[in-house]
Amino acid sequence: MTSFKTIRARAEKRKGGPKALEKLMPEKPDLKGLAKRGDDRIVAEMTKRVFCAGFAWSVIETKWDGFEDAFLRFQPAKLTFQPEDYWEDLLRDARIVRNGAKIMSVRDNAAFVQEIAREHGSFGRFLTKWPPSDQIGLLELLSKRGSRLGGNTGQMLLRFVGWDGFVTSRDVVACLRDAGLDIAEEVKSKGDLAKVQAQFNAWAEETGFSYTYLSRICALSVGENRSE
């Protein structure tokens, strides 16, 4: 496998040098901030990622204030207490994108967040305790216990709430394949995810960098640099 030093050097060359590359790096994961994040904000981010999946993100962002109002500011206790009529009315609510399956995922994910919060104090605290070296285990939990949080949606959720992890975007996968990792062009199987996890674990040990940092540099080292 190619060393990460080589990958970073290539990214620096493509982006105009070390300082220019550094400006493109994401903020460092903030575990203290994540631990303090309210469960309502976790449900909100879950909802945003679910609705953004397969849809124009700009549309969701434009309507987001409407989402906040329609979904009661994403307070888990309020959402799980609502009767069926409330959820049926949302199917006709112009403030949001009226996708029935995604609307019902909000109720399911509010219940999921409540369950985790009862076990760990809050969902944010739960996430801070989960090691980046086992991101695939966390993604499996999100997929099984949450609603519509599998695949890339789960990865983007973790990225947007500030958890330290990788994203298997096209450019990241292209970087991994170029480095010698035997995985498919689209990482979907458990076997490929395990290989990706092992490689990021190795690079984290090699460099001491966060997984978020490694993922971004990897993405910028190859391809057309789509969103990562």
Side-chain angles (χ1 to χ4, degrees), residues 4 164 200-211 213-214:
F4 200 78
D164 184 22
F200 272 102
N201 290 351
W203 279 338
E205 185 174 351
E206 174 191 336
T207 64
F209 294 159
S210 71
Y211 287 67
Y213 198 91
L214 291 168

Side-chain angles (χ1 to χ4, degrees), residues 187-202:
V187 174
K188 295 182 178 180
S189 71
K190 289 185 177 180
D192 278 356
L193 275 171
K195 291 178 182 178
V196 171
Q197 180 76 74
Q199 189 54 50
F200 272 102
N201 290 351

Side-chain angles (χ1 to χ4, degrees), residues 5-228:
K5 181 178 180 181
T6 299
I7 293 170
R8 185 181 184 184
R10 187 171 65 217
E12 289 174 349
K13 184 177 180 179
R14 297 183 81 220
K15 297 303 172 183
K19 291 184 178 180
L21 180 65
E22 192 62 34
K23 291 180 180 179
L24 299 173
M25 290 300 101
E27 295 182 5
K28 293 182 179 179
D30 179 12
L31 293 183
K32 289 184 178 179
L34 179 55
K36 295 177 181 178
R37 186 180 285 255
D39 288 331
D40 61 316
R41 293 304 90 198
I42 296 292
V43 178
E45 198 59 58
M46 286 178 173
T47 302
K48 185 176 286 189
R49 292 309 118 210
V50 167
F51 274 86
C52 280
F55 207 79
W57 289 20
S58 59
V59 173
I60 304 303
E61 290 291 350
T62 299
K63 297 175 76 70
W64 192 248
D65 286 346
F67 273 79
E68 289 278 354
D69 291 338
F71 287 108
L72 309 177
R73 302 292 165 181
F74 298 103
Q75 298 179 62
K78 285 188 176 181
L79 288 171
T80 55
F81 187 71
Q82 295 306 306
E84 290 298 325
D85 288 351
Y86 165 81
W87 299 99
E88 291 175 3
D89 288 345
L90 287 174
L91 295 172
R92 298 180 292 277
D93 195 327
R95 292 175 295 177
I96 64 173
V97 173
R98 288 161 286 181
N99 179 298
K102 292 187 177 185
I103 287 171
M104 296 313 299
S105 76
V106 181
R107 181 175 68 178
D108 295 339
N109 284 328
F112 169 43
V113 168
Q114 277 191 308
E115 291 171 4
I116 295 293
R118 282 195 289 267
E119 297 169 13
H120 299 272
S122 74
F123 201 93
R125 289 179 185 176
F126 160 73
L127 289 177
T128 63
K129 298 173 184 177
W130 200 290
S133 58
D134 183 30
Q135 179 173 336
I136 60 173
L138 180 53
L139 291 173
E140 184 175 9
L141 181 143
L142 291 174
S143 179
K144 288 184 175 181
R145 295 183 62 177
S147 176
R148 304 181 75 89
L149 297 178
N152 186 255
T153 301
Q155 293 180 21
M156 296 309 295
L157 166 67
L158 295 176
R159 174 61 57 85
F160 276 94
V161 298
W163 192 79
D164 184 22
F166 57 80
V167 173
T168 54
S169 66
R170 287 188 183 183
D171 288 335
V172 170
V173 173
C175 167
L176 289 163
R177 284 166 57 87
D178 181 77
L181 197 64
D182 181 21
I183 54 176
E185 291 184 4
E186 290 188 46
V187 174
K188 295 182 178 180
S189 71
K190 289 185 177 180
D192 278 356
L193 275 171
K195 291 178 182 178
V196 171
Q197 180 76 74
Q199 189 54 50
F200 272 102
N201 290 351
W203 279 338
E205 185 174 351
E206 174 191 336
T207 64
F209 294 159
S210 71
Y211 287 67
T212 303
Y213 198 91
L214 291 168
S215 184
R216 180 64 60 83
I217 293 176
C218 197
L220 295 174
S221 71
V222 296
E224 300 174 13
N225 295 156
R226 304 174 183 86
S227 59
E228 174 273 347

